[in-house]
Amino acid sequence: MTELSFLAVHAHPDDESITMGGTLARYAQEGIRTTLVTATRGEVGEILDKDLDPQEAAPRLASIREGELRAACAILGVHELVFLGYEDSGMMGEARNSVPGTFWQADQAEAVARLIAIIRRVRPQVVATYNEIGGYGHPDHINAHRVAVMAFYHADDIKLFPGGEPHRPSKLYYSAFPKSQVRAISQAMKRAGMEDRFARDDGEAPFAVDDDRVTAQVDVSDQLQRKLDAMLAHRTQIPPDSWFMKLREVLGERAWSRESYERVRSRVEAPTPEDDLFAGLR
Ligand SMILES: [Zn+2]
C-alpha cells in the first residue's frame, strides 16, 4: 500500500500550530508522513518573549524562530520541516515588501519549482495551505497560497517543471475559520470582559470565511494539549499570558478542539462534509 503523506504549506513559524497544529499531530500519530514547508523564518516578527531583550534579539530573530519552530515540530511529531528559503516580507504596504530576498519579491516560478521538488520527494496525497486572502491578508500568506496552489496543479507537469518523478496530489485544502465559530468566540470574549481581537467595523473578522465554504472539520481534541504546547513553543510570538491562551480559559476545550478546512479540489471520491482530510484515500 502507498504510504499516506500530508503536506502543509505555511508562511512563518507559528502559523502551522495556530491553524493546523492539531491536524499535524493527529496525522503524525496515525503514522501518516507529515511534512511542513515554511516559506520564511519570520525574521521581522514581534519579540514578545519576556526573557529576551528585543533590541539584542532582533538581529538573530531568524535563528530564534527557527529553533522555536523545530521545537513545535518535535511536539507535534512532524516528520520533516523544510524551509523554502525566503525572508519575511512584513505586513502589506510596508517598505520591507520591496526588499529583494523577501517572499513577496520571490520569482513565482522559482518558488513553485522549489515546492514541486519537495512534493515530488515526499509525495503527499493531501496538501493544505491558506485561502486566496492568505487567511488574513499578510503578503507572505497570500504568496504561500499562490505557490502551494500552483505546485499542487503542476507537480505532475515534467515539461514545465523538469526534474524528479512527477507526482499528482489527490486533495487540496485551505485552512478555515468559519464565521459562526469566530462569532461564538467573539461573544464569549465580550462576556468575559476580554478585548475582542476579532472586532471590525462591520462586525466580521477579516479572516473568517462563510460557513458554507467549510467542508471538513477535523476533531483534534485528543491532540489539543500538544497543539497548545506547540503554540507556546513559539515563545517570541505567543507568550503564556497571550490572548490565544486566555481563550481556552474562557471557552474551554471548545475553543481549539476542531480545525476547519475548505476542500478546494479532490481527484478521489470523498464525502461532503468530511471529518478526515484523507477520506477517500484509505
Ligand atoms: Zn504568518
Side-chain angles (χ1 to χ4, degrees):
M1 211 185 115
T2 321
E3 182 191 37
L4 292 181
S5 174
F6 177 65
L7 177 74
V9 182
H10 285 281
H12 312 105
D14 81 0
D15 295 320
E16 78 300 328
S17 299
I18 297 168
T19 58
M20 53 183 80
T23 306
L24 283 161
R26 180 175 159 168
Y27 288 142
Q29 197 175 339
E30 288 177 11
I32 293 173
R33 179 176 184 168
T34 53
T35 307
L36 169 63
V37 171
T38 302
T40 80
R41 287 175 166 77
E43 44 271 271
V44 298
E46 296 177 284
I47 301 177
L48 304 175
D49 184 348
K50 292 188 178 73
D51 294 337
L52 290 176
D53 167 7
Q55 264 197 322
E56 180 277 324
R60 52 188 188 92
L61 189 54
S63 74
I64 293 171
R65 290 193 71 180
E66 176 176 342
E68 292 173 344
L69 181 55
R70 291 196 186 283
C73 284
I75 292 165
L76 298 174
V78 168
H79 294 102
E80 189 183 352
L81 164 66
V82 190
F83 284 102
L84 221 45
Y86 295 99
E87 283 180 27
D88 194 344
S89 308
M91 292 294 186
M92 199 60 93
E94 287 178 11
R96 170 90 193 162
N97 296 165
S98 51
V99 172
T102 58
F103 192 36
W104 192 239
Q105 289 300 319
D107 180 272
Q108 197 81 11
E110 190 202 280
V112 173
R114 286 187 198 183
L115 185 56
I116 283 179
I118 298 163
I119 288 177
R120 287 179 182 167
R121 183 168 59 77
V122 304
R123 313 188 80 70
Q125 292 85 7
V126 176
V127 176
T129 187
Y130 318 107
N131 64 18
E132 67 287 345
I133 58 154
Y136 71 105
H138 190 295
D140 290 333
H141 287 235
I142 293 172
N143 215 23
H145 155 83
R146 290 178 183 162
V147 168
V149 171
M150 287 288 283
F152 176 87
Y153 284 106
H154 291 291
D156 63 345
D157 188 340
I158 209 80
K159 273 207 171 112
L160 201 56
F161 294 95
E165 273 295 304
H167 177 70
R168 215 170 135 85
S170 301
K171 295 170 96 180
L172 175 65
Y173 289 90
Y174 298 159
S175 69
F177 288 99
K179 281 185 179 171
S180 61
Q181 186 191 8
V182 174
R183 274 188 217 117
I185 291 175
S186 205
Q187 282 159 7
M189 282 193 296
K190 274 186 209 141
R191 276 199 302 274
M194 283 169 67
E195 174 202 2
D196 183 0
R197 283 277 301 265
F198 299 157
R200 213 172 60 164
D201 291 347
D202 60 5
E204 291 290 0
F207 55 84
V209 302
D210 287 327
D211 281 54
D212 57 14
R213 282 184 69 169
V214 175
T215 58
Q217 293 209 310
V218 179
D219 181 352
V220 297
S221 40
D222 288 346
Q223 289 78 27
L224 187 61
Q225 194 55 51
R226 281 195 284 153
K227 175 185 171 96
L228 295 172
D229 288 346
M231 285 167 70
L232 288 171
H234 295 282
R235 294 169 56 95
T236 56
Q237 308 305 305
I238 307 174
D241 62 351
S242 77
W243 167 91
F244 275 122
M245 294 300 141
K246 283 198 193 115
L247 206 55
R248 192 189 187 187
E249 288 165 30
V250 174
L251 275 179
E253 308 289 288
R254 220 155 34 100
W256 298 111
S257 60
R258 273 183 308 177
E259 291 174 343
S260 303
Y261 296 87
E262 174 182 0
R263 189 178 66 213
V264 189
R265 181 85 165 97
S266 183
R267 289 161 167 157
V268 293
E269 283 291 325
T272 310
E274 295 171 303
D275 59 5
D276 176 15
L277 308 187
F278 283 84
L281 291 161
R282 56 175 166 185

